[in-house]
Amino acid sequence: MTSYLIGLVGTGIGPSASPALHEREADELGLRYVYRLLDLEVLGRPVADVLAAARLAGFDGLNVTHPAKQAVLPHLDELSPEAAALGAVNTVVFRHGHATGHNTDATGFARSLGRGLPDAPMDDVLLLGAGGAGAAVAHALLSLGTGRLTVHDVDGRRSARLVQALTRRFGEGRARTGDLTALRRADGLVHATPTGMAAHPGSPVPVELLHGDLWVADIVYRPLETALLAAARARGCRVLHGGGMVVLQAAESFRLFTGAEPDPARMLRHFDALDGEAARAA
């Protein structure tokens, strides 16, 4: 039986669904698959040390999440074209001591949006968060045809860097920095920061800025119903939780790690079952 040792690197990753998602799909495909959590805060080590230790320990790959999707870049041997364009990595594949960074977040978000809000208007969208996840979402939105993307981050320099990268790839005029007032004219809002997670409760948007003509997508998936989505639903917005994105990016990561073809529909069913189990456990 072929075996794989995979890890997740990040902080506050205890509630992650990734281990069960990957291991259940491996069981379906007859693969021996062990998935470990490598929490930077628990280990007390920087991402460079954890990456080096995983390489030496014989890991076949790593998923990378907040806050390491950009911090991991200098410690890799190679980037896929997509990861290089996004400036962020969520998947590291080790082959013969060589570490290659990939990004499956952009395709995961795009497929989730197409599945959950297939007819959502895309002329004018506000993106909250310009970190690693935000960069992937921004590239996905512009690839899907968003006409005007406004990027807002608490770190204005990070917003500006992302807009510069988007302009280089997609041309002038399609991406700009801005603030929450852009919601007054926006068709959609995508939230790509940790706010709303169990460890970072709350909503990043005052409820009075939400309006019924707006669709709202959140990449947070634990909990599925974030404070932002609850407020948006109450204001009459169409909403999309982060479960689809986490599953669909995981399916592509699984394929990169193993070379085997996962079944995304089955993994979505796994996630639904896991979410129900988590709710019952709580």
Side-chain angles (χ1 to χ4, degrees), residues 124-166:
D124 196 320
V125 178
L126 173 64
L127 168 65
L128 299 186
V137 167
H139 284 258
L141 286 168
L142 290 180
S143 295
L144 289 170
T146 294
R148 176 167 59 183
L149 179 67
T150 302
V151 180
H152 175 62
D153 193 284
V154 292
D155 183 342
R157 294 170 299 179
R158 188 158 62 176
S159 297
R161 286 195 299 269
L162 177 55
V163 168
Q164 289 171 0
L166 294 169

Side-chain angles (χ1 to χ4, degrees), residues 186-257:
D187 299 310
L189 165 66
V190 183
H191 172 240
T193 86
T195 302
M197 294 172 61
H200 304 276
S203 172
V205 178
V207 65
E208 60 269 18
L209 292 180
L210 302 171
H211 55 84
D213 293 329
L214 189 71
W215 57 264
V216 179
D218 202 329
I219 71 164
V220 173
Y221 72 94
R222 286 288 170 87
L224 279 181
E225 183 81 346
T226 61
L228 171 61
L229 292 189
R233 198 187 302 276
R235 299 282 282 190
C237 303
R238 298 168 64 199
V239 301
L240 177 69
H241 63 62
M245 177 180 174
V246 75
V247 172
L248 295 169
Q249 65 79 23
E252 179 61 14
S253 291
F254 186 97
R255 187 187 66 78
L256 290 168
F257 292 145

